[in-house]
């Protein structure tokens, strides 16, 4: 099975299609040197990646846009080769804020449209300048949100050509059903971006989404960093798992490559985040081998139903 990431795409229910492997660009702006994301995206495009996952709250969309534009100018890619996913942040759920927020993202990227625009979380924060609004006791200030009204504003963005496809992130079955059962629904979510990896395989959500032609996009497909401020570090590091390493040895692959291959064979799109050139290239080398049914079952059995990213907010 020798497939390139470009040919290995999953069709979306609206006729668009999404590459199975993408580059995640999440970064802590306090700890990430300027220009790191720019270089990472250029390296990824040169390596063959065509799917870039970003967000306004990563504070690096200007670098992502610059990298894409530079590669277009070089003749390496055309705009239509790239699949860019942007996200609507929690403070921007009121319907009147949705389009201006997406337009702001497009201005930062200096692009005419995004390929996928998703609601980042089903809960909302108080609208305003503060991205993480808190009261005097340090508690988050939430905002009552009508997800159906937010979704209608997302549909309008698709109609206006600002987003080719629209979807959601971190939604459970009940929240998805709320959108899908909405009177007058024009477009259903094409994707749901959630944490998904061998220790958190999401079988019930995956099956529900399959039944409704919603593609699961798995973030943290390799586990994640061990930053105690936002990660559950009680769960063991995924990439040290003996099963993943033993299977990797058989194919001369790393545990990371095995974990990514496992996900894409289940039909889950993966967006590993890395700004390390060697790892970016390594993560791409997953289209030249296949896991057997027995190996897939062995990896499925590793599921612990434990999240690394607990989203305590």
């Amino acid at each position: 099975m020798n497939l390139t990431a470009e040919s290995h795409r999953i069709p979306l229910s609206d006729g668009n299609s999404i590459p199975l492997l993408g580059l995640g660009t999440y970064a802590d702006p306090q700890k990430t040197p300027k220009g790191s994301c720019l270089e990472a995206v250029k390296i990824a495009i040169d390596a063959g990646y065509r799917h870039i996952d970003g967000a306004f709250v990563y504070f690096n969309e200007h670098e992502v846009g610059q990298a894409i534009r530079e590669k277009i100018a070089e003749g390496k890619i055309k705009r239509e080769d790239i699949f860019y996913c942007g996200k609507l942040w929690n403070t921007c759920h009121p319907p009147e804020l949705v389009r201006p927020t997406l337009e702001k993202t497009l201005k930062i990227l200096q692009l005419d449209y995004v390929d996928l625009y998703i609601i980042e979380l089903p809960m909302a924060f108080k609208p305003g300048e503060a991205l993480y609004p808190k009261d005097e006791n340090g508690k988050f200030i939430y905002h009552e949100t009508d997800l159906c009204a937010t979704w209608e504003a997302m549909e309008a963005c698709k109609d206006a050509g600002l987003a080719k496809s629209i979807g959601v992130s971190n939604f459970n079955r009940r929240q998805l059903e709320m959108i899908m059962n909405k009177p007058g629904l024009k477009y259903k979510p094409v994707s749901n971006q959630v944490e998904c990896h061998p220790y958190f395989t999401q079988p019930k959500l995956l099956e529900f989404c399959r039944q409704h032609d919603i593609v699961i996009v798995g973030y943290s497909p390799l586990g994640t960093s061990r930053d105690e401020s936002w990660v559950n570090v009680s769960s063991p590091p995924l990439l040290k798992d003996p099963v993943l390493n033993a299977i990797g040895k058989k194919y001369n692959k790393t545990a990371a490559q095995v974990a990514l291959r496992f996900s894409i064979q289940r039909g889950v799109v993966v967006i590993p985040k890395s700004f390390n050139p060697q790892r970016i290239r390594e993560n791409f080398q997953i289209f030249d081998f296949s896991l057997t049914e027995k190996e897939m079952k062995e990896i499925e059995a590793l599921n612990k139903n434990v999240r690394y990213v607990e989203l305590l907010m």
Side-chain angles (χ1 to χ4, degrees):
M1 192 178 198
N2 191 4
L3 293 152
T4 66
E6 187 52 27
S7 66
H8 210 142
R9 298 168 77 103
I10 295 190
L12 297 172
S13 57
D14 61 0
N16 201 353
S17 69
I18 182 170
L20 271 164
L21 174 68
L23 178 76
T25 60
Y26 169 77
D28 181 337
Q30 308 299 321
K31 300 174 186 172
T32 311
K34 279 183 182 169
S36 303
C37 181
L38 170 69
E39 287 311 309
V41 174
K42 291 203 293 191
I43 288 161
I45 290 171
D46 284 340
Y49 288 76
R50 296 296 178 261
H51 176 178
I52 311 293
D53 181 82
F56 171 71
V57 291
Y58 299 171
F59 300 104
N60 55 16
E61 283 190 312
H62 58 293
E63 293 188 19
V64 175
Q66 185 184 336
I68 292 170
R69 293 193 315 277
E70 283 185 20
K71 287 295 161 188
I72 290 170
E74 280 175 27
K76 176 79 184 174
I77 50 165
K78 299 189 183 87
R79 169 64 187 95
E80 57 269 26
D81 297 332
I82 291 292
F83 188 98
Y84 182 78
C85 172
K87 303 184 183 80
L88 180 78
W89 182 237
N90 311 1
T91 53
C92 307
H93 280 210
E96 67 277 9
L97 296 181
V98 174
R99 179 166 176 162
T101 303
L102 173 51
E103 286 173 338
K104 191 173 180 182
T105 275
L106 292 173
K107 194 175 174 187
I108 292 167
L109 288 164
Q110 292 184 45
L111 298 175
D112 295 330
Y113 65 90
V114 294
D115 299 271
L116 176 62
Y117 198 53
I118 61 179
I119 300 174
E120 190 155 355
L121 283 158
M123 34 67 79
F125 288 155
K126 178 188 169 189
E129 288 302 305
L131 292 176
Y132 298 90
K134 291 182 180 177
D135 63 18
E136 60 277 9
N137 302 312
K139 294 234 177 6
F140 284 110
I141 306 171
Y142 295 98
H143 182 72
E144 195 168 315
T145 188
D146 177 353
L147 282 174
C148 291
T150 305
W151 186 254
E152 285 173 7
M154 296 281 284
E155 291 178 322
C157 288
K158 177 171 163 61
D159 280 338
L162 301 177
K164 298 251 176 172
S165 299
I166 50 175
V168 296
S169 180
N170 299 300
F171 274 47
N172 61 27
R173 176 178 175 156
R174 183 180 61 80
Q175 291 151 348
L176 285 168
E177 284 177 332
M178 193 195 305
I179 301 280
M180 292 190 298
N181 298 332
K182 183 187 86 63
L185 180 73
K186 202 166 185 186
Y187 308 112
K188 70 179 183 185
V190 298
S191 62
N192 185 17
Q193 189 178 123
V194 294
E195 181 173 346
C196 194
H197 48 72
Y199 283 178
F200 193 53
T201 54
Q202 301 261 31
K204 287 181 180 172
L205 186 62
L206 183 58
E207 185 50 38
F208 174 79
C209 287
R210 270 197 192 123
Q211 288 167 3
H212 294 278
D213 287 326
I214 299 169
V215 171
I216 290 276
V217 177
Y219 66 73
S220 299
L222 304 176
T224 189
S225 72
R226 311 300 281 175
D227 184 337
E228 289 184 26
S229 66
W230 62 279
V231 170
N232 169 13
V233 292
S234 65
S235 197
L238 177 67
L239 299 184
K240 292 196 174 160
D241 188 273
V243 173
L244 295 178
N245 281 281
I247 292 171
K249 206 169 176 186
K250 172 185 163 185
Y251 293 105
N252 196 24
K253 294 288 180 183
T254 64
Q257 289 166 324
V258 171
L260 294 175
R261 182 73 212 186
F262 165 75
S263 287
I264 67 166
Q265 278 189 218
R266 299 173 80 216
V268 172
V269 172
V270 286
I271 45 171
K273 179 261 160 176
S274 180
F275 288 176
N276 177 307
Q278 185 190 337
R279 287 202 203 104
I280 289 170
R281 294 184 189 108
E282 221 170 62
N283 289 343
F284 194 77
Q285 305 305 315
I286 58 172
F287 297 100
D288 57 356
F289 77 110
S290 250
L291 298 169
T292 65
E293 205 173 315
K294 179 173 174 282
E295 288 161 348
M296 289 293 288
K297 285 197 165 70
E298 282 173 13
I299 299 172
E300 270 170 23
L302 299 176
N303 183 36
K304 302 177 191 296
N305 270 331
V306 173
R307 296 175 188 271
Y308 283 107
V309 184
E310 292 185 299
L311 297 171
L312 297 176
M313 58 190 166

